[in-house]
Amino acid sequence: MGRKVTVAACALNQWALDFQGNLQRILKSIEIAKRKGARYRLGPELEICGYGCWDHYYESDTLLHSLQVLAALLESPVTQDIICDVGMPVLHRNVRYNCRVIFLNRRILLIRPKMALANEGNYRELRWFTPWSRSRQTEEYFLPRMIQDVTKQETVPFGDAVLATRDTCIGSEICEELWTPHRSAQSLPTASGSHHVLRKAHARVDLVTMATTKNGGIYLLANQKGCDGDRLYYDGCALIAMNGHIFAQGSQFSLDDVEVLTATLDLEDVRSYRAEISSRNLAASRVSPYPRVKVDFALSCREDLLEPPSEPVEWMYHSPAEEISLGPACWLWDFLRRTSHPGGVDSAATACLVYSMCRQVCEAVRNGNQEVLADVRAIVDQLSYTPQDPRDLCGRLLTTCYMASENSSQETCDRAKELAQQIGSHHIGLNIDPAVTAVVGIFSLVTGKRPLFAAHGGSSRENLALQNVQARLRMVLAYLFAQLSLWARGARGGLLVLGSANVDESLLGYLTKYDCSSADINPIGGISKTDLKAFVHFCMEHFQLPALQRILAAPATAELEPLTDGQVSQTDEEDMGMTYAELSVYGRLRKIAKAGPYSMFCKLVNMWKDACSPRQVADKVRQFFSKYAMNRHKMTTLTPAYHAESYSPDDNRFDLRPFLYNSSWPWQFRCIEDQVHQLESRGPQDLDGVD
């Protein structure tokens, strides 16, 4: 009698609207799953069209091509004798649903629509889909003719149901349903389109292990991986769990387009585990049963006594610094190979990410990944090239350019050159003073006035304008060199320009609009200054890059104002009027805690009571919100950045706010001032009661 089942969960690097590539990756995953003995294969959410289609979901073409891919899957001999669970959009009664389509041997068993849609942060599923609200109910779905021709079925069940095979019962839930407070009492396979955020893996794993600890059962989680067309990086982490333990762990960051996890598990272990949970059994006896779709198929084999079951594993987590070194590098690799352009950057952290990417590419090639090797050869335009040394590959892919001015220190120039030598990038040094003089000269010729830096007697307006001219000219020169530097070296193609503004600087608007923060993509734009420093320290130790020690020790500075005795007189934190650590606190309170000026003041009065008086806290909050409001317009032109931080101010999709504010915040600041007066009138005392 069969008791053991082998199941497969997949992590696929799907690409929005790449129907041909998506089909090939799905078929490859099914082929691998069968080769490993699996009789059930679970794929990521919306894997047929790619999760990030966004408003393309409105287009009938997206639905049509998804059906065409489904037909190709049904017809393929690869999909025979294995239950395949794939994700795609489905139009039912002129309503668009995010669905799982489960099929076996050219027949569709069930179409299961998503019941809880993700609609916060980066997600807008309610914009394109409708949730299925009829719990434990199904109705008939009339198949399109192209599918009928393959399956010879006219209708199939559509709704919230489970499959009843000869030996077990299979249900499913889709991504957001894993995170909802009121989940089904079942433990189910989950298909996910879950993106990477620093420190998120713990929550995902905990949800799965807690669910199977409480209810027992076998739980599979499949997820998309890679960059499927925008700012998000889907970080895999496919897993298979049973009765509160992990039995298979997928990689979180990998250049492999297809990853298939399998585990062989004993159904009797589930039954005996559940038999002891009286509360679960009592609840199960009271609820209405799920509609069951009978399937004449068994996941187990008759003679499996000698089949060794899988053993539990301990989940291995990455540190945040490791996540930064791996996640943006993988995202950058997908962007690079899918645009077929190498990149150029000008900051230490961004350069380290490119170097980290080169290390991962070389490792993948050493491990026999032929797809990565083919991509590298296409990018560098050398069909015989095989990358072995990350420094050599970095020299072919990365151009670093230090653009000095009269306000730049020699120490900064030396540090940039030293780092470029250690990572192997093609390094260019140039001076922008002639361009600055020419542009300012045009202004003087037209107006008859010559602006001066504040250090030379100029006003704050003159001082800021002269800084911005330098910053914007660096952007112009970066794009000029990106377009023509390979041409000058006798090579084909062009370069991508990579930005280097971090999430804290963007939040405050501490950047010049259309300056060197403007680029094609920004690998570090969603990472805080604090985490970036930890990442650079990680690179210094793990990649043997001693140049980073001097960079870490140097004060952060834009070097846009005149030097004092050859030394930098301007630092970022002095310019901003606050520290990067404070900025991270403001960012988390503003976005995650959803605090306006008054609420932020009330929270910080308690958080900082040992270091600041209420008056000082009020001044800090007013300063932050004033600068934030004045500079919010800069977020509308922010370079697309890797999304890694939950307080990102990305205006495009994640942080939807106005960009025209009354930056004096009269009502809010008056409420803060009233509260300060009340606290000051009480005298020194415990402030825990402030709310």
Side-chain angles (χ1 to χ4, degrees):
M1 177 181 175
R3 302 172 9 142
K4 298 185 184 117
V5 298
T6 300
V7 291
C10 306
L12 305 183
N13 193 334
Q14 302 298 73
W15 190 6
L17 304 179
D18 179 26
F19 293 98
Q20 184 61 43
N22 292 347
L23 170 60
Q24 291 170 353
R25 286 181 284 271
I26 293 170
L27 285 172
K28 184 176 179 180
S29 71
I30 296 170
E31 198 170 9
I32 295 171
K34 288 176 68 175
R35 195 161 63 238
K36 292 184 173 184
R39 305 266 284 174
Y40 171 81
R41 175 266 182 201
L42 176 73
E45 182 177 11
L46 294 166
E47 61 185 310
I48 283 180
C49 57
Y51 183 84
C53 294
W54 309 132
D55 281 2
H56 290 288
Y57 287 121
Y58 290 136
E59 300 168 3
S60 60
D61 280 8
T62 304
L63 295 166
L64 171 64
H65 300 325
S66 296
L67 287 169
Q68 291 168 335
V69 171
L70 177 62
L73 287 169
L74 288 162
E75 289 181 307
S76 172
V78 172
T79 62
Q80 301 305 296
D81 299 321
I82 182 171
I83 295 178
C84 297
D85 189 334
V86 300
M88 62 178 279
V90 174
L91 194 68
H92 176 52
R93 296 190 175 182
N94 285 319
V95 178
R96 196 181 299 102
Y97 294 97
N98 175 348
C99 293
R100 306 301 303 172
V101 179
I102 309 172
F103 61 90
L104 169 68
N105 294 339
R106 298 171 70 100
R107 292 183 65 82
I108 295 175
L109 305 174
L110 171 69
I111 300 178
R112 202 286 201 178
K114 190 171 182 178
M115 301 180 70
L117 299 182
N119 212 59
E120 68 288 326
N122 285 296
Y123 296 104
R124 301 283 181 278
E125 290 184 12
L126 280 171
R127 181 179 173 96
W128 310 296
F129 300 111
T130 299
W132 180 256
S133 56
R134 297 168 58 190
S135 176
R136 304 181 192 229
Q137 295 183 49
T138 64
E139 57 190 41
E140 286 188 321
Y141 172 76
F142 285 82
L143 292 169
R145 279 177 295 179
M146 73 170 76
I147 304 299
Q148 288 186 32
D149 291 343
V150 179
T151 66
K152 309 306 178 187
Q153 299 166 281
E154 185 179 356
T155 63
V156 296
F158 184 101
D160 186 23
V162 296
L163 302 182
T165 66
R166 292 184 209 152
D167 48 5
T168 189
C169 184
I170 305 171
S172 64
E173 59 186 14
I174 309 172
C175 196
E176 182 69 9
E177 295 164 2
L178 170 64
W179 303 81
T180 53
H182 303 291
R183 298 176 57 216
S184 154
Q186 299 283 335
S187 291
L188 307 167
T190 289
S192 183
S194 180
H195 66 80
H196 173 235
V197 174
L198 291 173
R199 308 170 180 87
K200 179 181 175 181
H202 292 75
R204 193 186 289 145
V205 174
D206 288 348
L207 281 170
V208 171
T209 52
M210 281 193 294
T212 58
T213 299
K214 285 196 301 182
N215 299 310
I218 297 171
Y219 199 111
L220 286 72
L221 187 146
N223 192 19
Q224 190 159 304
K225 62 192 298 191
C227 166
D228 83 335
D230 73 348
R231 296 157 171 78
L232 306 182
Y233 177 79
Y234 298 91
D235 59 340
C237 285
L239 62 84
I240 300 174
M242 181 177 72
N243 299 344
H245 298 284
I246 303 294
F247 283 81
Q249 173 185 353
S251 61
Q252 187 174 13
F253 308 105
S254 164
L255 300 186
D256 295 331
D257 282 347
V258 177
E259 183 179 18
V260 180
L261 296 185
T262 57
T264 300
L265 303 168
D266 195 329
L267 293 174
E268 290 304 313
D269 289 342
V270 175
R271 291 165 185 145
S272 59
Y273 183 90
R274 284 179 166 174
E276 290 188 335
I277 310 174
S278 57
S279 57
R280 179 257 169 206
N281 298 336
L282 189 60
S285 68
R286 289 174 174 170
V287 298
S288 302
Y290 278 94
R292 293 195 170 206
V293 178
K294 293 182 180 179
V295 184
D296 188 17
F297 185 78
L299 297 190
S300 58
C301 300
R302 287 186 178 277
E303 303 299 330
D304 62 4
L305 188 62
L306 299 179
E307 182 74 22
S310 301
E311 296 294 328
V313 298
E314 192 72 26
W315 191 276
M316 302 296 292
Y317 293 99
H318 293 291
S319 70
E322 286 177 311
E323 289 186 63
I324 295 171
S325 92
L326 296 169
C330 290
W331 177 79
L332 189 58
W333 172 246
D334 277 344
F335 200 101
L336 183 59
R337 68 192 179 110
R338 286 171 171 169
T339 57
S340 298
H341 286 85
V345 297
D346 65 352
S347 85
T350 309
C352 287
L353 281 175
V354 177
Y355 184 64
S356 175
M357 179 194 78
C358 293
R359 287 170 58 93
Q360 291 185 70
V361 168
C362 289
E363 183 179 355
V365 171
R366 278 196 301 272
N367 293 336
N369 191 319
Q370 293 301 308
E371 292 170 350
V372 171
L373 179 59
D375 287 332
V376 170
R377 288 173 171 173
I379 291 168
V380 301
D381 196 27
Q382 283 185 266
L383 296 180
S384 61
Y385 176 66
T386 299
Q388 295 175 328
D389 178 9
R391 294 182 74 256
D392 175 71
L393 180 59
C394 195
R396 296 167 186 263
L397 297 182
L398 176 63
T399 296
T400 48
C401 185
Y402 183 74
M403 303 185 196
S405 75
E406 62 182 0
N407 303 318
S408 304
S409 67
Q410 187 59 45
E411 289 82 357
T412 308
C413 179
D414 293 342
R415 288 192 293 265
K417 187 176 180 180
E418 184 183 8
L419 178 60
Q421 289 173 341
Q422 291 177 10
I423 64 175
S425 66
H426 177 78
H427 189 65
I428 299 170
L430 58 87
N431 192 294
I432 67 170
D433 287 336
V436 174
T437 300
V439 171
V440 175
I442 292 172
F443 177 83
S444 299
L445 187 64
V446 173
T447 63
K449 291 182 175 293
R450 186 165 191 83
L452 299 173
F453 283 106
H456 300 152
S459 65
S460 59
R461 281 191 294 174
E462 295 169 69
N463 196 63
L464 184 59
L466 289 174
Q467 292 184 68
N468 289 346
V469 165
Q470 299 168 74
R472 290 186 173 119
L473 281 172
R474 285 180 172 134
M475 183 271 289
V476 172
L477 287 168
Y479 273 96
L480 177 63
F481 276 83
Q483 288 181 295
L484 293 180
S485 63
L486 290 183
W487 166 78
R489 290 152 58 187
R492 292 197 297 178
L495 302 174
L496 288 172
V497 178
L498 301 190
S500 58
N502 62 59
V503 72
D504 295 324
E505 291 165 348
S506 298
L507 173 65
L508 192 67
Y510 183 62
L511 49 90
T512 301
K513 206 172 186 180
Y514 306 117
D515 70 344
C516 48
S517 65
S518 297
D520 294 317
I521 51 174
N522 182 359
I524 66 166
I527 304 172
S528 72
K529 190 75 169 185
T530 303
D531 283 336
L532 275 178
K533 286 184 175 180
F535 161 65
V536 171
H537 193 270
F538 171 87
C539 292
M540 180 183 71
E541 293 185 341
H542 289 77
F543 300 166
Q544 287 79 52
L545 301 173
L548 294 175
Q549 188 165 7
R550 292 176 61 199
I551 292 171
L552 280 170
T557 173
E559 291 196 343
L560 295 172
E561 293 193 49
L563 303 174
T564 302
D565 298 326
Q567 300 299 312
V568 172
S569 60
Q570 174 190 32
T571 66
D572 290 353
E573 292 188 336
E574 286 179 10
D575 272 0
M576 294 188 299
M578 60 196 73
T579 66
Y580 281 108
E582 289 172 338
L583 253 180
S584 290
V585 173
Y586 300 145
R588 288 187 169 87
L589 289 176
R590 181 197 70 97
K591 178 66 178 175
I592 302 171
K594 300 171 180 60
Y598 180 71
S599 295
M600 186 179 292
F601 165 77
C602 292
K603 291 177 184 295
L604 289 177
V605 160
N606 283 304
M607 287 173 60
W608 291 350
K609 62 183 178 182
D610 295 332
C612 300
S613 68
R615 172 67 60 189
Q616 290 171 321
V617 172
D619 290 343
K620 287 176 179 288
V621 170
R622 281 192 287 252
Q623 182 186 38
F624 166 72
F625 271 100
S626 295
K627 290 191 174 184
Y628 161 77
M630 285 189 287
N631 290 322
R632 178 67 195 191
H633 65 95
K634 297 178 181 178
M635 297 305 96
T636 62
T637 62
L638 209 60
T639 296
Y642 179 93
H643 180 86
E645 187 53 78
S646 51
Y647 66 90
S648 168
D650 172 22
D651 180 79
N652 186 272
R653 290 197 178 113
F654 182 67
D655 192 43
L656 304 181
R657 317 252 177 161
F659 60 83
L660 181 63
Y661 285 92
N662 181 345
S663 59
S664 63
W665 302 87
W667 187 278
Q668 296 92 329
F669 286 1
R670 187 168 67 249
C671 291
I672 292 175
E673 188 62 27
D674 290 345
Q675 188 68 62
V676 170
H677 282 307
Q678 288 184 37
L679 292 171
E680 289 179 337
S681 66
R682 295 182 197 172
Q685 57 184 288
D686 188 1
L687 299 173
D688 289 342
V690 177
D691 57 32

